[in-house]
Amino acid sequence: LKKDGRYRSSYGDYNRDRSVISIFGRRMHRSALPPKERILGVRSGGEETAFVVRDVRKAAIVEGNVGNVPIVLAAVDDDLPVVAFERTVGDRVLTFSRADSLQPALEDAETRSLWRVSDGKAIDGPLQGEQLTRLTAHSAFWFGWYGFFPDSAIWQLSR
């Protein structure tokens, strides 16, 4: 297959031009976010939220609710993907911070247990062996997410 794009991929130019949202040159007017803003979309509890990826990375840890489900997003290293978990264990809602450890980990404020970011498993502390439920999170451009979920809430850092 021959690649005709300037950067050996016909999608190279498309990905670099933040104003064009389709191969037919369509544009999105009056949008809450730039059309090609990278978001992580989470659906839970019958609701949707688009998390602006660059803002999640700046914050490193984002806590909130999607629908009635308490969640945590973790972006503890630029080389790792942003992950999303429910932050409830049993009937307890946990509050997380970045852990000071050799591997990417979180620490909950309630029990000071240490949680592995890669899979949400508690690896030390009173909750050792417990598992956070991983949420399905969709990496997308804003315009794509908005096309399916126009009533989606948007999370971004306060400006």
Side-chain angles (χ1 to χ4, degrees):
L1 297 175
K2 184 179 178 197
K3 304 288 185 182
D4 290 327
R6 182 174 159 196
Y7 298 99
R8 304 183 75 199
S9 168
S10 53
Y11 286 100
D13 292 333
Y14 171 78
N15 284 329
R16 285 174 185 77
D17 186 343
R18 293 180 57 82
S19 65
V20 176
I21 63 171
S22 79
I23 60 173
F24 302 112
R26 285 192 342 221
R27 298 187 185 278
M28 188 174 183
H29 301 287
R30 295 188 196 140
S31 176
L33 294 172
K36 285 193 180 168
E37 185 72 55
R38 295 259 180 204
I39 61 97
L40 196 66
V42 178
R43 298 176 64 207
S44 188
E47 295 186 26
E48 303 86 24
T49 301
F51 293 86
V52 175
V53 170
R54 65 183 158 81
D55 289 345
V56 173
R57 288 204 178 278
K58 283 181 194 171
I61 307 291
V62 173
E63 293 180 328
N65 292 315
V66 176
N68 60 353
V69 178
I71 69 159
V72 59
L73 277 72
V76 296
D77 189 302
D78 287 340
D79 295 328
L80 298 174
V82 176
V83 293
F85 297 100
E86 287 186 26
R87 58 188 175 102
T88 305
V89 174
D91 60 351
R92 177 186 277 170
V93 177
L94 301 175
T95 306
F96 290 97
S97 61
R98 194 176 194 165
D100 184 24
S101 67
L102 295 176
Q103 64 178 311
L106 303 175
E107 182 179 68
D108 73 75
E110 291 72 20
T111 70
R112 302 194 53 87
S113 294
L114 198 62
W115 302 80
R116 207 169 30 220
V117 171
S118 61
D119 62 2
K121 187 165 189 155
I123 55 175
D124 193 25
L127 296 179
Q128 185 173 356
E130 292 287 341
Q131 182 83 43
L132 298 174
T133 300
R134 184 112 182 223
L135 294 170
T136 302
H138 306 275
S139 178
F141 286 128
W142 165 245
F143 80 87
W145 181 258
Y146 178 79
F148 286 95
F149 307 107
D151 296 326
S152 180
I154 299 172
W155 182 92
Q156 56 188 345
L157 285 174
S158 299
R159 305 257 189 256

